[in-house]
Amino acid sequence: MSSFQVEEAMAAIGRAIAKHRVRCGISQLELGRQLGVKDEAMSRLERGVVTLTVDRLVQLADIFECNVADLLTQGSHRTTDQARYVSQLLGKLGTDDRTMVVEFVERLAARLAHR
């Protein structure tokens, strides 16, 4: 993995952390307190400037009540990771809403493939 790819992955993980934090209604300050880090460190973490340890990822997953894999794959550019994430999102919807989303994605993908 090139240094650019590592930086890109860390930024994606940071965005996933920020998304989970907001979803849980936790401020950066509060999350920092729970992790035992200062405000600036929390900001750097969400910007992907800091390389996370496995221990820190586990702590975050516990706080957000999600899997560590969720934090690692939500920002991934790998097709299989993206498909897994979309599947999780669809799993939260009812049958009619899932059908509508799938039809929308089919139309959008067809349109974008012709560009």
Side-chain angles (χ1 to χ4, degrees), residues 50 54 56-57 62 71 81 85-86 98 103 105 112 115:
V50 181
V54 173
R56 184 67 78 198
L57 284 169
D62 286 344
L71 298 173
D81 291 337
Y85 179 59
V86 169
R98 278 195 316 270
E103 289 172 356
V105 170
L112 295 174
R115 284 187 174 196

Side-chain angles (χ1 to χ4, degrees), residues 9-102:
M10 291 309 303
I13 293 168
R15 286 190 301 274
I17 290 167
K19 187 186 298 185
H20 278 278
R21 178 182 58 74
V22 170
R23 178 187 53 81
C24 291
I26 302 171
S27 69
Q28 268 190 349
L29 182 63
E30 176 57 30
L31 183 57
R33 284 184 185 142
Q34 290 183 41
L35 295 173
V37 299
K38 298 192 184 267
D39 301 353
E40 179 57 29
M42 203 54 242
S43 173
R44 290 175 46 218
L45 189 142
E46 288 189 358
R47 289 185 319 224
V49 176
V50 181
T51 301
L52 294 167
T53 64
V54 173
D55 288 340
R56 184 67 78 198
L57 284 169
V58 170
Q59 282 181 303
L60 287 163
D62 286 344
I63 291 167
F64 298 143
E65 297 180 355
C66 69
N67 296 314
V68 172
D70 294 338
L71 298 173
L72 295 173
T73 60
Q74 282 186 0
S76 173
H77 295 289
R78 292 176 29 180
T79 306
T80 54
D81 291 337
Q82 291 170 338
R84 186 176 303 115
Y85 179 59
V86 169
S87 177
Q88 290 173 350
L89 294 173
L90 289 172
K92 299 174 186 176
L93 303 176
T95 303
D96 291 341
D97 290 337
R98 278 195 316 270
T99 300
M100 178 183 64
V101 170
V102 169

